């Protein structure tokens, strides 16, 4: 009787559909102190990887939910506004550094692990999630392709430099539950490194725009 469940009376199906539509999105369930204690008990501190990495800020708490939970628009807007306020633009006003140094940073996946020396500069690991140049054939696709980013966005205008620098510094300022690491906000990359990667994205001579 393979087809039995398709034989449900239309009125029942209509009822089920209506019930499905009427179900409100589930509430965001914050991580409780007990959840956190269980997680902390399952990890050990090692090297620079301390257990405080499990402490979530507001954005992380609000974004740690199953995909079935929808974040209300005003909550997303609040996350973006608060993250925007964390972005520190360089005091010298120069947002673009050396694209060649930026390419090394984009290729480098080292840093912040317990086995890494905290004194060695971290990489940005951009290729793990993005295509950036046509020469590099190995790249991830979690993020959109950034090949020709500068060309497609009208070149290194002051506005585009500000956007690229800000996006790398704190992606959650632009998309509330972004999966991109907050490189400046979480001290992964230094100011100079963010300048260098901004140049990689926007400099007309960089391989991104060839
Ligand atoms: C863990 C994956 C991940 C890594 C690593 C990552 N990104 Fe992203 N990035 C994303 C995702 C996903 C998006 C899409 C938008 C969103 O969700 O925020 C994005 C968006 C962007 C955007 C905006 C693109 C647009 O169309 O406006 C830029 C610029 C960017 N990333 C640059 C970088 C750079 C530079 C690096 C390295 C320093 C980097 N990303 C590392 C995941 C990542």
């Amino acid at each position: 009787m393979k087809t039995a469940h398709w034989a449900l009376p239309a009125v029942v199906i209509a009822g089920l559909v209506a019930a499905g539509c009427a179900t409100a999105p589930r509430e965001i369930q914050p991580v409780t102190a007990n959840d956190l204690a269980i997680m902390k008990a399952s990890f050990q501190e090692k090297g620079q990887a301390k257990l405080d990495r499990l402490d979530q800020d507001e954005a992380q708490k609000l974004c740690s939910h199953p995909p079935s939970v929808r974040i209300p628009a005003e909550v997303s807007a609040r996350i973006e506004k608060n993250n925007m306020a964390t972005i520190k633009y360089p005091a010298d006003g120069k947002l673009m550094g050396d694209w060649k140094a930026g390419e090394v940073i984009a290729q480098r996946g080292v840093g912040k692990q317990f086995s890494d020396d905290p004194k060695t500069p971290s990489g940005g690991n951009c290729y793990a999630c993005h295509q950036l140049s046509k020469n590099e054939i190995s790249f991830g696709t979690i993020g959109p392709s950034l090949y020709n980013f500068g060309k497609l966005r009208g070149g290194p205008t002051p506005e585009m430099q500000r956007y690229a620098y800000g996006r790398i510094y704190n992606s959650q300022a632009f998309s509330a539950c972004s999966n991109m690491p907050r490189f400046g906000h979480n001290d992964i990359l230094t100011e100079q490194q963010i300048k260098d990667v901004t140049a990689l994205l926007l400099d007309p001579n960089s391989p991104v725009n060839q």
Side-chain angles (χ1 to χ4, degrees):
M1 290 298 284
K2 253 183 170 173
T3 54
H5 65 281
W6 295 116
L8 284 175
V11 63
V12 173
I13 293 173
L16 289 174
V17 170
C21 294
T23 308
R26 298 209 330 263
E27 291 291 309
I28 299 170
Q29 298 290 335
V31 174
T32 63
N34 191 39
D35 299 336
L36 192 59
I38 292 170
M39 279 195 282
K40 287 199 170 175
S42 334
F43 285 93
Q44 281 177 2
E45 298 203 329
K46 229 174 176 184
Q48 62 176 317
K50 306 286 184 224
L51 287 186
D52 61 3
R53 290 189 179 180
L54 295 172
D55 296 330
Q56 297 182 310
D57 69 9
E58 190 208 27
Q60 289 169 319
K61 281 186 192 143
L62 290 168
C63 294
S64 298
H65 55 74
S68 56
V69 174
R70 240 177 296 142
I71 290 201
E74 66 272 18
V75 175
S76 298
R78 189 175 80 224
I79 293 174
E80 288 169 11
K81 186 168 167 252
N82 291 344
N83 278 276
M84 191 64 86
T86 73
I87 301 179
K88 290 189 198 80
Y89 285 94
D92 66 4
K94 290 201 185 77
L95 272 52
M96 279 176 48
D98 171 7
W99 68 257
K100 288 188 183 130
E103 174 63 14
V104 175
I105 295 161
Q107 293 276 1
R108 224 172 113 79
V110 171
K112 298 291 177 193
Q113 297 183 75
F114 74 87
S115 49
D116 294 325
D117 178 355
K119 285 187 225 85
T120 310
S122 299
N125 215 9
C126 316
Y127 280 96
C129 296
H130 297 284
Q131 177 182 29
L132 284 115
S133 73
K134 68 171 187 285
N135 305 333
E136 176 54 73
I137 52 166
S138 172
F139 52 83
T141 53
I142 293 174
S145 172
L146 299 175
Y147 180 51
N148 275 332
F149 181 83
K151 251 191 203 166
L152 295 171
R153 303 295 174 99
T157 60
E159 296 73 28
M160 200 39 66
Q161 289 185 35
R162 234 181 130 71
Y163 169 63
Y165 188 98
R167 178 54 98 157
I168 300 163
Y169 193 101
N170 188 343
S171 187
Q172 288 187 259
F174 302 88
S175 106
C177 293
S178 174
N179 287 325
M180 175 163 148
R182 295 180 286 180
F183 291 101
H185 182 64
N186 288 332
D187 288 327
I188 302 168
L189 297 180
T190 63
E191 180 180 285
Q192 185 58 47
Q193 286 181 306
I194 300 177
K195 287 181 177 192
D196 294 341
V197 181
T198 300
L200 175 70
L201 294 180
L202 294 174
D203 193 309
N205 297 317
S206 114
V208 168
N209 298 308
Q210 300 305 308

